[in-house]
């Protein structure tokens, strides 16, 4: 197995939810990830939604199959859009469908990436790593930019933005 490059947190502190109805595919993904991540698994979209509701605060990523009985990946993505707590968890769609329409629909519904099965192990691991790193970086920037109590710019960032505006519009009066 290829080790996953470290980002802001040790990988062992990251949890990935695998939502996949095919037992073999789900077990393969879980075994691929379990050395580097905590892994939760759901056998369909409905179970995936329940796990998302209960564990959104610790999930670093969801790997989501699109075509599943009862509650499919599209339904999961639609539900995820109903609450910012859920939509902040990144999703990589993993599917046998190579339909451009499916990919566009998943991206419109907020998925972060779309990987067609069978996928290359190196590709899926790097996409997982990059997606998690991007989310963690955005979270850090957000924490440094905004005061959580006032929901205003932090003082340092405020002065930085003022300086940028003054340089960008030197002839404008503020």
């Amino acid at each position: 197995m290829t080790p996953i490059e470290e980002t802001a947190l040790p990988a062992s502190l990251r949890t990935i939810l695998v939502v996949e109805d095919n037992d073999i595919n789900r077990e393969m993904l879980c075994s691929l990830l379990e050395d580097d991540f905590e892994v939760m698994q759901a056998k369909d979209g409905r179970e995936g939604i329940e796990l998302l509701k209960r564990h959104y605060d610790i999930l670093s990523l969801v790997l989501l199959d699109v075509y599943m009985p009862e509650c499919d990946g599209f339904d999961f993505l639609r539900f995820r859009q109903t609450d910012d707590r859920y939509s902040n968890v990144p999703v990589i769609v993993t599917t046998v469908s190579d339909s451009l329409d499916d990919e566009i629909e998943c991206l419109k519904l907020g998925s972060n990436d779309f990987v067609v099965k069978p996928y290359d192990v190196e590709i899926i691991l790097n996409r997982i790593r990059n997606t998690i790193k991007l989310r963690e970086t955005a979270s850090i920037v957000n924490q440094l930019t905004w005061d959580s109590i006032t929901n205003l710019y932090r003082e340092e960032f405020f002065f930085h933005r003022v300086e940028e505006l003054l340089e960008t519009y030197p002839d404008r009066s503020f």
Side-chain angles (χ1 to χ4, degrees), residues 43-162:
K43 65 183 182 313
D44 59 41
R46 191 172 324 283
E47 190 176 317
I49 287 171
E50 290 307 312
L51 289 170
L52 178 65
K53 284 184 201 177
R54 286 194 308 249
H55 302 289
Y56 67 88
D57 56 334
I58 63 164
L59 289 174
S60 295
L61 181 85
V62 175
L63 292 173
L64 177 69
D65 187 21
V66 173
Y67 291 104
M68 297 177 284
E70 293 182 46
C71 179
D72 63 20
F74 299 112
D75 294 330
F76 181 96
L77 290 169
R78 283 185 201 94
F79 171 80
R80 186 174 153 267
Q81 290 181 323
T82 64
D83 191 315
D84 286 342
R85 296 174 300 174
Y86 309 142
S87 63
N88 285 329
V89 179
V91 174
I92 296 176
V93 171
T94 60
T95 184
V96 294
S97 171
D98 62 355
S99 161
L100 186 59
D101 291 337
D102 286 348
E103 183 172 1
I104 290 168
E105 183 65 17
C106 287
L107 293 170
K108 281 182 179 178
L109 291 171
S111 71
N112 299 80
D113 206 345
F114 189 92
V115 180
V116 178
K117 298 174 196 171
Y119 40 76
D120 180 274
V121 172
E122 290 292 317
I123 289 173
I124 194 73
L125 289 175
N126 279 297
R127 288 188 181 196
I128 289 168
R129 186 195 75 232
N130 291 342
T131 301
I132 291 173
K133 185 175 181 178
L134 181 62
R135 177 186 185 225
E136 289 173 356
T137 300
S139 177
I140 290 168
V141 168
N142 193 40
Q143 289 174 14
L144 294 173
T145 305
W146 299 96
D147 181 282
S148 62
I149 296 171
T150 64
N151 204 29
L152 299 172
Y153 285 136
R154 292 191 180 277
E155 183 179 11
E156 302 85 17
F157 192 77
F158 173 78
F159 287 123
H160 176 74
R161 288 291 294 140
V162 168

Side-chain angles (χ1 to χ4, degrees), residues 11-17 33-34 36-40:
S12 61
L13 297 179
R14 295 186 183 95
T15 302
I16 294 179
L17 171 59
L33 299 169
E34 66 190 8
D36 296 303
F37 299 97
E38 293 295 321
V39 180
M40 293 181 182

